[in-house]
Amino acid sequence: MKKTLLASVALTVLAGVAWAADDEKAIQALVDQYISTGYQQGEKQHLERLKQDETLITCSETRNIPSPEQAKAIIEREKATIKYPEGNKMLGNWEKGKEVFNTGFAMRVGVISPDKADKPRGGNCYACHAADPKEVAAGNIGNSLTGYGKMRGNSEETVKYTYDKIFNSQSMMACSNMPRFGHNGVLSPEQIADLVAFLVDPASPVNK
Amino acid sequence: MKNVLLPGLLISSLALTAVYAAEEPNADAYREMTYGDRDANPALLVVDRGEELFKEKRGPKAVSMEECDFGLGKGVVKGVYAELPRYFQDTDRVQDLESRMITCMTTVQGFDEAELKKKTYANEKANEDNTDLEAIAVYIASQSDGMKINPPTAHPKEQEMIKVGEALFYHRTGPLDFSCASCHGADQKRIRLQNLGNFSKAGKDAQKAIGGWPTYRVSHAAVRTMQHRIWDCEGQMRLPDTEYGAPLSVALIAYLTAQAKDGTYVLPGMSR
Amino acid sequence: MASVKLKAKVLEGGLVEVKALMTHPMETGLRKDSATGELVPAHYITEVVVTANDKEVLKTNWGGSVSKNPYLAFNYKGAAGDKVKLTWKDNKDATDSAELTVE
């Protein structure tokens, strides 16, 4: 026993992390199998969330580096999903947007404090983005949005660009790290319009 | 949660006034001040409790866990965590510490698996004490304190598990389209002020994270194990509750531990 | 299981360093039970006394603001061979202690 162990340790050292002859399909089959058995069952677990759409399948397989053809297909597909608020009013209220930007409450399932239906959701944007310079506890996974409106103005074009980006980030950049907030139903079109206002309104602290 | 974070924020914002231009904000100074003294780690109390549970004759068969094999032979505790996850012939599976504990407690001690899994983690919101599973896990893991992170990778099943874990690491799903790599795929990233290790590459980030886990989470006032870590991360990704010890979590742990190879275990850990 | 983990060692300059971890929920009395909405009654250590050879070297009054499983560390003037004993009492009149001989 001890001898075999020593031998295997020695082998490991020599080989580093040496893969067995592998087959991507076999690994992917195990991935699917482990996902199907990896979570607790039951209605409140919302297991439908584990189903990937075509876009996420491509992003997972390519580790977020799709080929130019794949990227083009994703962008076209995702663009078609964008829905606008009533009357195409893409510029909402920045003060409401400030709340949505800051609030982290959304989409919890399972055993710990699932979402209350009547509690408004947020985008938890500070988790990844800086915005109001007074908020120092901002993450840096996304780029800083401080001065966003000062730099880009608040033209119709900028407003639409910003709305589209938040509603479906992958309509502009295939396999973007950013959640597709509107497409996935995390935020409503009106909430996204409020976020747009928070970013571009000259009165918003983002642009002070 | 927010309240617990506050002292850290206060201190780091003080530090910020001095070095704002030079440094990204973080809470390192607070952490060093709080966790510098290893004797101050309340996990040590839980380790003691875990040792008693481990050695006690328990379960319908009234045997102690010293009758179990965690990879280095029956009764061996020292150093086993340093060489997990590993392939076990008796179950024909790659197992991490916690899934192996379940095997031991069901086959050797005669406990019922479903019963054991009913309450895996202490609920910090209810100020609960650690569960028996958490206590036993941190006891076993702490017997590898100071040792090299050295998961075996010679067996084809071990290699396969790491590969599957790697694929899962990049698997995007759920309402936020996240994979593990969304947050842990690049250097020097933070969620708010929380530093995020880059686990897409082997080396120091993974070594630091894996090497310090199980850890006493000060914000939970409880010891947290790797199974809990994976469950908590998946919850933050807005995914369903992970099944304790299932191959999904074991594969992710196998991948992360392989990325941490040659690091050093400093156990029990202590963190935010 | 003893609720107290006590350590002591001799430092330079005639000092003894004492370190102790205490298992205790330290309920503040301000936390609500999420199921019932009721306040969870306060339950915390109110007093910790440490003696060396039966002479008091530290006495401290605590309250609900001290964390769960509290840690206490201090130095006193002493030497190897001292018998150190730590005793805590809480607001429900529970108590526990631990003792050791300084090596």
Side-chain angles (χ1 to χ4, degrees):
Chain A
M1 176 63 206
K2 219 168 197 171
K3 262 189 187 156
T4 25
L5 188 89
L6 270 176
S8 75
V9 170
L11 248 178
T12 314
V13 171
L14 280 176
V17 182
W19 308 122
D22 60 282
D23 170 349
E24 257 175 52
K25 271 203 182 126
I27 294 295
Q28 190 54 45
L30 284 171
V31 164
D32 295 339
Q33 187 196 324
Y34 289 1
I35 287 172
S36 71
T37 59
Y39 298 91
Q40 292 175 31
Q41 307 292 308
E43 206 176 301
K44 68 175 184 179
Q45 294 291 346
H46 291 266
L47 294 165
E48 73 280 358
R49 291 183 174 195
L50 299 171
K51 195 170 157 38
Q52 290 179 307
D53 63 15
E54 235 180 301
T55 296
L56 290 189
I57 290 172
T58 305
C59 296
S60 301
E61 276 175 5
T62 63
R63 297 188 179 175
N64 298 321
I65 310 171
S67 71
E69 296 74 33
Q70 288 171 318
K72 194 165 162 259
I74 287 174
I75 287 172
E76 264 169 32
R77 183 165 56 231
E78 299 300 322
K79 253 194 184 133
T81 70
I82 301 178
K83 291 182 183 65
Y84 296 97
E86 251 190 69
N88 271 348
K89 203 177 167 294
M90 283 175 257
L91 188 61
N93 174 317
W94 74 259
E95 278 165 311
K96 281 190 194 165
K98 186 180 170 175
E99 273 305 302
V100 180
F101 200 95
N102 187 46
T103 302
F105 180 86
M107 311 303 276
R108 286 266 183 197
V109 291
V111 296
I112 47 162
S113 43
D115 279 9
K116 295 176 191 77
D118 54 346
K119 194 170 169 182
R121 292 174 185 157
N124 202 14
C125 312
Y126 279 118
C128 298
H129 294 279
D132 180 347
K134 287 209 181 82
E135 176 57 76
V136 290
N140 67 354
I141 295 176
N143 54 326
S144 166
L145 301 169
T146 304
Y148 184 92
K150 243 197 243 173
M151 265 180 317
R152 294 168 185 258
N154 57 358
S155 68
E156 222 170 281
E157 203 186 358
T158 299
V159 167
K160 183 174 185 303
Y161 168 85
T162 310
Y163 183 92
D164 287 358
K165 176 82 188 179
I166 301 170
F167 193 99
N168 192 330
S169 56
Q170 299 213 39
S171 70
M172 288 170 194
M173 187 186 158
C175 300
S176 163
N177 245 344
M178 181 166 148
R180 296 170 289 175
F181 285 103
H183 177 56
N184 291 351
V186 179
L187 300 176
S188 69
E190 290 71 26
Q191 282 181 305
I192 294 173
D194 291 337
L195 283 175
V196 173
F198 180 60
L199 291 174
V200 305
D201 196 311
S204 159
V206 170
N207 302 313
K208 287 290 173 192
Chain B
M1 176 69 207
K2 213 168 197 176
N3 286 336
V4 185
L5 249 169
L6 258 177
L9 295 187
L10 279 176
I11 286 166
S12 56
S13 59
L14 281 178
L16 272 181
T17 50
V19 292
Y20 187 73
E23 257 178 69
E24 283 286 307
N26 65 59
D28 286 351
Y30 165 69
R31 291 198 186 98
E32 179 51 35
M33 193 176 78
T34 318
Y35 321 134
D37 180 358
R38 290 193 68 191
D39 291 327
N41 190 343
L44 296 169
L45 295 164
V46 189
V47 169
D48 284 357
R49 206 186 108 212
E51 181 174 9
E52 285 182 16
L53 286 164
F54 185 91
K55 292 180 175 166
E56 200 184 312
K57 290 186 168 65
R58 299 200 317 139
K61 295 187 188 169
V63 285
S64 105
M65 289 180 79
E66 289 163 304
E67 296 302 313
C68 303
D69 178 4
F70 286 92
L72 299 182
K74 204 195 246 187
V76 180
V77 194
K78 191 151 188 69
V80 294
Y81 189 63
E83 295 186 30
L84 286 170
R86 70 159 62 233
Y87 173 76
F88 287 88
Q89 205 153 17
D90 55 359
T91 53
D92 190 28
R93 289 203 281 143
V94 174
Q95 295 184 287
D96 69 332
L97 171 62
E98 289 160 273
S99 56
R100 188 63 188 173
M101 276 165 42
I102 296 287
T103 300
C104 161
M105 294 168 87
T106 51
T107 59
V108 179
Q109 294 185 304
F111 283 108
D112 178 67
E113 180 163 344
E115 201 60 41
L116 279 178
K117 288 182 177 174
K118 251 190 194 154
K119 180 75 184 169
T120 47
Y121 317 118
N123 178 359
E124 73 276 15
K125 293 193 184 87
N127 197 23
E128 288 175 354
D129 291 330
N130 276 119
T131 62
D132 289 354
L133 287 174
E134 287 171 316
I136 294 164
V138 72
Y139 161 67
I140 297 173
S142 296
Q143 308 314 305
S144 291
D145 179 37
M147 295 184 184
K148 284 260 174 285
I149 300 171
N150 189 27
T153 51
H155 196 282
K157 291 249 177 175
E158 288 161 354
Q159 295 163 8
E160 177 190 274
M161 204 60 163
I162 295 167
K163 271 232 115 164
V164 176
E166 184 177 14
L168 283 165
F169 185 82
Y170 289 95
H171 186 88
R172 295 182 67 169
T173 182
L176 299 179
D177 297 337
F178 285 157
S179 72
C180 307
S182 302
C183 292
H184 295 289
D187 291 339
Q188 304 282 319
K189 293 297 180 194
R190 283 182 284 106
I191 289 176
R192 295 259 180 180
L193 287 188
Q194 178 60 44
N195 296 102
L196 303 161
N198 179 359
F199 306 140
S200 69
K201 59 180 190 187
K204 72 172 173 39
D205 283 11
Q207 289 168 350
K208 196 177 164 206
I210 290 291
W213 223 273
T215 189
Y216 189 85
R217 291 279 311 265
V218 174
S219 58
H220 293 199
V223 166
R224 294 313 189 190
T225 63
M226 274 313 288
Q227 280 291 329
H228 180 278
R229 180 63 273 173
I230 300 292
W231 168 77
D232 200 3
C233 267
E234 299 258 351
Q236 288 179 42
M237 292 159 72
R238 307 307 195 256
L239 294 175
D241 292 307
T242 50
E243 178 73 28
Y244 189 84
L248 173 93
S249 51
V250 176
L252 283 166
I253 291 167
Y255 170 66
L256 294 171
T257 311
Q259 297 291 71
K261 198 170 157 55
D262 296 331
T264 303
Y265 279 114
V266 182
L267 297 175
M270 192 173 182
S271 52
R272 169 177 77 85
Chain C
M1 190 191 78
S3 75
V4 184
K5 202 171 171 68
L6 186 64
K7 274 177 108 173
K9 70 168 181 191
V10 179
L11 300 177
E12 278 178 38
L15 292 175
V16 172
E17 178 184 58
V18 180
K19 293 177 168 184
L21 281 161
M22 287 151 258
T23 305
H24 202 283
M26 299 302 284
E27 278 290 354
T28 60
L30 303 172
R31 191 176 65 81
K32 276 185 185 160
D33 182 318
S34 64
T36 63
E38 302 281 314
L39 284 176
V40 177
H43 184 201
Y44 49 76
I45 294 175
T46 50
E47 187 184 271
V48 183
V49 174
V50 185
T51 58
N53 302 326
D54 296 326
K55 192 178 152 246
E56 196 172 286
V57 291
L58 177 129
K59 181 175 181 173
T60 172
N61 294 321
W62 283 359
S65 65
V66 175
S67 80
K68 185 175 179 173
N69 302 328
Y71 174 63
L72 173 72
F74 70 98
N75 302 338
Y76 74 92
K77 271 188 190 163
D82 283 2
K83 285 195 168 37
V84 172
K85 181 176 182 183
L86 179 148
T87 308
W88 62 254
K89 259 190 252 171
D90 70 20
N91 66 333
K92 292 185 176 176
D93 285 330
T95 182
D96 199 6
S97 61
E99 55 185 310
L100 54 70
T101 304
V102 181
E103 287 176 13

